Amino acid sequence: MGANTSQVSDLSDNSSLKALVGKESISENDPFWNQLISFTFISPTSSGDSKLLEEAVIPLAKILIENNPRTGNFGALVRIFLGRTKELKISTECQDQLFIWQAHNALFMIRCLLKVFIREMSEGELRLQFSYHERVPGSCGETGSEDLLEELLSNLVHLIVDVPLLDITYSILFEAVTTLLVFFSYQLFHKDILRDGIVYQHMMKGRCLSLTSRLVKTLLYNFIRQEKCPPPATHIFEPKAEGGLLYGLASGVAIRLYSTIELISKQQMSLSWLLIYPVGVTAQSKLLNQLGSGLGDHISVCTEAGRSLCLCISLTSVTYTSSLEQPHIFQINFNSLYTALCEQQRSDQATLLLYTLLHQNANMRTYMLSRTDMDNLILPILEILYHVEERNSHHVYMALIILLILTEDDSFNRSIHEVILKNVSWYTERSLTEISLGSLLILVVIRTIQFNMTRTRDKYLHTNCLAALANMSAQFRCLHQYAAQRIISLFALLSKKHNKVLEQATQSLRGRQGDNTALPDYAQDLNVIEEVIRMMLEIINSCLCNSLHHNPNLVYALLYKRELFEQFRTHPSFQDIMQNLDTVIGFFSQRLEQAGSDLSVERVQEVIMKGAQALPKDRLKKFPELKFKYVEEDQPEDFFIPYVWSLVFNSGVGLRWSPHGIELFSMDSG
């Protein structure tokens, strides 16, 4: 960074950088600036390289903080960048790679300095760093002191929405997104959610407001495109044929740049989407994106100021209005968006986006549920849950919420049992040569509950798992034998835990010889376990009452483990629902006894299938339909803001923050 600099170790001795942060003001018309931003330094992509860069930049930035009130050189650097970007679209059309590269370099320097500024000063003090350019003789002074910060933010958004994503613009567009993330990173150093910050006010109430819908459109479109890394040749500046400075990159630098872009391409769209979330939620301001109905496979989204957001892209169904009435309307193809979501679902960011669309957008949800290839979307989500021990808890939670939202729809619960899968490779506990998507979903969700009960003990996680199972239970169809066995094995695990807590309570009470004033609150533990047991009994009962003849494997598993249910027959919390299970167990047990002894598995299943047709439905007591609906917390940003920023913190390419001083989330969260 800085003229003729290609190594981090050279930064502290670079004469151009010394002049930038020094005590002398530099006019914006000075040739110095052209020299300063003509360098071949490659942006770091690894955490280690980012750390080395920041350690080299910090002392330079601190000197600039001290001298900038007198020199205004930081404001001058910003204005040099703004001047370059005014002609960036023309440069792109003319394939002026040198001009674009210089603009990128200027922005890269601004971003590196800003990152230190934000760590060292308040937003009010940061604004002053932009205002000092007014004091410099010869400054253009076209904007007021408070406008330069806003102009930079507006310019970055304009850059993202106006400059096409091409091979030669990939780096500068990535840098624009990264710089915006740095601006918003004040949130990292505050435990409470920021709602009145200067940066957010500029973004949500200033000149950026009119660009918000275009920004959303661009980022969604980029997510859909999933642009691959450009070839290295597009980033090599050809030397001048005659005279002048040579801006060509050495072959080794070009190869390294190619590796940089290749790595960036894997996360650029994710960072683009993450950009929207902290802007909208934290500012509690405007982004209401409305979905226009009647457009077939297209969404119409419009921005409406004055409405606070719950999520990054809040889509709600409204009657379609023409673009003349709603100037912010734009369209995105549903099919393309759905395909991109399916392909990227294994990432946290894509899962968050899918959740947003399903939760906030009724028409998008309807479109997804109408697809005949839902397995392309569901299988990656189930794989996330299957590898629960390898995923962060937030990602698992979001995947479960998506399943819960989907299972609110009865047509989904029916259709997933009609999709037959062959050889699910990632499911390694058993060989699943043929299983329905519905049975696989049940297997994975119950496995998640069992993992949670033995490891993390997250009440909300297993509550949402059980709610999804309950929503599906009336539509269980032809359950795979492993799925049926897993349902009963979960009940066995709950029964065992119930008995263990009872035993511990009894032993504790005996040990205190009647003095129960300090007796541990085993009653609370029992209540929790019994609530879960009750839910499991209701799920089994729902299946038996609504689709008994479709589920011989569940009846078989129920009979095989009938002794598990005996202890709950007289329990006051379960007596009513146990009547139905007793009826089913008694009915089929009698028919098996009548069929003779030493029956083969095939013969038992035959008896069960015939018995299912013969059991009168009126012998089973009717219970209310099991239906659960996902409802967000009153302040969802308390969950989403720390989660999103933890993703940026842990996976941002070329971005690294020291864990010291981070207040928004703990370092072991996620």
Side-chain angles (χ1 to χ4, degrees):
M1 183 168 66
N4 303 319
T5 295
S6 60
Q7 301 292 330
V8 173
S9 58
D10 298 336
L11 295 182
S12 59
D13 297 324
N14 183 274
S15 58
S16 296
L17 291 178
K18 285 183 176 180
L20 174 67
V21 305
K23 297 181 179 180
E24 299 295 327
S25 298
I26 305 173
S27 170
E28 295 167 24
N29 299 320
D30 196 303
F32 162 84
W33 297 105
N34 188 65
Q35 180 185 16
L36 177 71
I37 60 178
S38 300
F39 59 84
T40 59
F41 185 85
I42 306 302
S43 304
T45 57
S46 69
S47 177
D49 288 344
S50 298
K51 180 180 180 181
L52 291 175
L53 174 62
E54 184 165 349
E55 289 174 349
V57 170
I58 286 175
L60 292 169
K62 288 185 175 180
I63 295 174
L64 181 60
I65 291 172
E66 181 179 349
N67 293 330
N68 192 50
R70 294 183 297 275
T71 67
N73 285 343
F74 178 72
L77 174 62
V78 172
R79 295 178 68 82
I80 292 296
F81 166 72
L82 295 177
R84 287 291 196 279
T85 58
K86 289 177 181 178
E87 301 181 17
L88 204 57
K89 287 188 69 175
I90 298 176
S91 299
T92 302
E93 295 171 359
C94 299
Q95 296 288 302
D96 188 346
Q97 300 178 47
L98 170 60
F99 194 91
I100 296 171
W101 184 245
Q102 286 185 322
H104 166 273
N105 288 347
L107 182 56
F108 175 65
M109 295 179 68
I110 292 169
R111 189 251 291 183
C112 290
L113 293 169
L114 277 174
K115 192 163 177 294
V116 180
F117 286 3
I118 288 171
R119 187 65 182 263
E120 295 291 324
M121 62 184 70
S122 67
E123 282 190 289
E125 292 169 330
L126 177 67
R127 182 170 58 184
L128 289 176
Q129 294 296 327
F130 284 85
S131 70
Y132 294 135
H133 75 280
E134 285 191 325
R135 303 182 183 182
V136 182
S139 63
C140 296
E142 296 176 358
T143 59
S145 62
E146 294 185 8
D147 289 343
L148 187 59
L149 171 58
E150 184 177 13
E151 185 175 352
L152 176 58
L153 290 169
S154 175
N155 192 276
L156 293 175
V157 178
H158 266 295
L159 199 160
I160 295 171
V161 302
D162 290 336
V163 176
L165 181 60
L166 305 173
D167 291 348
I168 61 174
T169 62
Y170 201 102
S171 294
I172 193 168
L173 290 175
F174 172 79
E175 195 61 48
V177 173
T178 305
T179 304
L180 283 175
L181 285 174
V182 169
F183 263 119
F184 302 140
S185 65
Y186 269 111
Q187 180 64 77
L188 283 171
F189 309 105
H190 295 80
K191 192 167 187 63
D192 296 330
I193 305 302
L194 297 179
R195 293 180 170 88
D196 300 314
I198 295 172
V199 172
Y200 293 120
Q201 292 298 316
H202 280 320
M203 284 294 297
M204 308 313 296
K205 294 184 178 180
R207 66 180 73 176
C208 295
L209 178 60
S210 62
L211 299 171
T212 307
S213 61
R214 292 179 62 195
L215 180 60
V216 174
K217 173 187 176 180
T218 301
L219 299 180
L220 276 176
Y221 182 63
N222 287 344
F223 172 79
I224 291 171
R225 288 178 65 185
Q226 292 294 319
E227 193 71 26
K228 297 185 182 299
C229 61
T234 59
H235 299 276
I236 301 177
F237 305 133
E238 299 295 336
K240 303 283 185 179
E242 297 179 1
L245 292 174
L246 299 182
Y247 291 97
L249 295 176
S251 60
V253 176
I255 293 173
R256 185 180 174 196
L257 176 60
Y258 173 65
S259 299
T260 299
I261 299 301
E262 185 174 25
L263 178 59
I264 285 172
S265 68
K266 298 177 182 178
Q267 299 189 41
Q268 197 260 2
M269 294 308 115
S270 297
L271 284 173
S272 298
W273 180 80
L274 285 173
L275 166 65
I276 294 301
Y277 196 99
V279 175
V281 179
T282 307
Q284 279 196 331
S285 55
K286 64 94 268 201
L287 198 59
L288 177 64
N289 295 317
Q290 297 176 320
L291 173 67
S293 59
L295 293 180
D297 286 349
H298 291 80
I299 320 173
S300 291
V301 186
C302 69
T303 301
E304 180 176 294
R307 296 291 300 272
S308 62
L309 254 193
C310 289
L311 291 169
C312 59
I313 306 170
S314 181
L315 303 171
T316 56
S317 178
V318 297
T319 302
Y320 175 70
T321 53
S322 70
S323 57
L324 294 177
E325 297 175 22
Q326 298 289 351
H328 299 291
I329 285 178
F330 65 85
Q331 296 181 347
I332 291 179
N333 185 277
F334 268 175
N335 181 64
S336 299
L337 181 55
Y338 178 83
T339 301
L341 287 168
C342 291
E343 292 174 348
Q344 300 297 318
Q345 203 46 232
R346 291 174 180 83
S347 73
D348 290 75
Q349 295 89 340
T351 303
L352 274 169
L353 180 55
L354 174 60
Y355 160 79
T356 303
L357 293 170
L358 282 172
H359 179 56
Q360 296 292 331
N361 180 349
N363 282 21
M364 185 65 186
R365 182 166 62 250
T366 299
Y367 174 81
M368 290 184 180
L369 291 169
S370 71
R371 298 281 303 204
T372 58
D373 60 347
M374 277 293 287
D375 52 307
N376 290 335
L377 188 67
I378 300 303
L379 282 173
I381 295 174
L382 295 183
E383 188 174 355
I384 292 170
L385 297 178
Y386 186 76
H387 297 293
V388 57
E389 66 279 358
E390 301 172 9
R391 300 286 180 174
N392 70 69
S393 60
H394 291 341
H395 197 186
V396 171
Y397 180 76
M398 296 311 303
L400 281 173
I401 294 303
I402 289 170
L403 292 182
L404 177 55
I405 293 173
L406 291 173
T407 59
E408 293 172 10
D409 183 80
D410 285 340
S411 63
F412 170 82
N413 297 330
R414 287 191 297 269
S415 64
I416 56 176
H417 292 288
E418 298 170 0
V419 179
I420 304 302
L421 307 171
K422 306 283 188 179
N423 299 317
V424 183
S425 59
W426 48 262
Y427 194 96
T428 57
E429 291 181 34
R430 293 178 182 269
S431 177
L432 300 178
T433 56
E434 185 173 296
I435 188 172
S436 71
L437 180 60
S439 287
L440 180 64
L441 194 156
I442 293 168
L443 274 174
V444 173
V445 169
I446 291 180
R447 182 181 183 274
T448 305
I449 296 174
Q450 292 174 326
F451 177 87
N452 180 64
M453 291 178 64
T454 57
R455 304 281 185 90
T456 60
R457 299 182 182 180
D458 184 337
K459 177 182 178 182
Y460 293 103
L461 188 144
H462 72 243
T463 298
N464 287 315
C465 286
L466 290 169
L469 290 175
N471 284 345
M472 294 189 294
S473 59
Q475 306 295 335
F476 283 171
R477 293 291 188 275
C478 302
L479 291 182
H480 194 282
Q481 61 176 332
Y482 295 154
Q485 291 170 8
R486 198 104 198 197
I487 291 173
I488 303 304
S489 68
L490 175 57
F491 188 87
L493 176 61
L494 293 169
S495 176
K496 183 177 180 180
K497 291 181 71 69
H498 179 269
N499 293 338
K500 183 177 180 180
V501 173
L502 273 178
E503 182 181 352
Q504 290 174 338
T506 302
Q507 291 177 352
S508 180
L509 186 60
R510 289 174 179 172
R512 298 179 184 280
Q513 297 179 350
D515 179 14
N516 60 2
T517 56
L519 186 66
D521 193 8
Y522 290 107
Q524 183 177 356
D525 292 341
L526 273 177
N527 286 337
V528 172
I529 295 175
E530 289 178 358
E531 286 178 5
V532 179
I533 290 175
R534 172 76 189 193
M535 178 70 77
M536 282 302 302
L537 289 173
E538 289 179 344
I539 290 170
I540 296 171
N541 176 71
S542 177
C543 177
L544 296 177
C545 291
N546 292 282
S547 54
L548 176 64
H549 59 290
H550 287 300
N551 291 290
N553 285 328
L554 181 60
V555 176
Y556 185 97
L558 190 65
L559 293 173
Y560 189 74
K561 293 289 186 179
R562 70 190 76 178
E563 71 280 355
L564 288 173
F565 302 90
E566 292 179 358
Q567 63 175 309
F568 301 109
R569 184 173 293 122
T570 58
H571 195 291
S573 298
F574 313 122
Q575 276 183 322
D576 58 339
I577 204 163
M578 278 301 302
Q579 292 177 11
N580 278 355
L581 270 68
D582 281 341
T583 298
V584 172
I585 291 173
F587 176 82
F588 284 99
S589 295
Q590 184 179 15
R591 293 185 73 93
L592 288 173
E593 290 176 3
Q594 293 172 354
S597 58
D598 298 327
L599 301 178
S600 65
V601 173
E602 292 76 13
R603 176 57 180 154
V604 171
Q605 290 177 335
E606 180 184 349
V607 172
I608 290 174
M609 292 180 68
K610 290 182 178 179
Q613 302 294 333
L615 177 63
K617 292 184 177 180
D618 57 5
R619 290 185 60 181
L620 299 179
K621 179 183 177 182
K622 296 296 182 181
F623 284 83
E625 183 181 11
L626 294 179
K627 275 296 176 184
F628 293 88
K629 185 177 179 62
Y630 170 70
V631 178
E632 273 190 345
E633 299 290 338
D634 291 338
Q635 294 183 315
E637 63 270 21
D638 291 342
F639 168 82
F640 285 102
I641 290 295
Y643 177 29
V644 172
W645 274 108
S646 71
L647 296 179
V648 177
F649 180 87
N650 290 309
S651 62
V653 175
L655 277 175
R656 177 196 172 273
W657 285 275
S658 170
H660 304 293
I662 300 297
E663 297 288 341
L664 183 60
F665 51 83
S666 61
M667 291 300 104
D668 58 352
S669 66

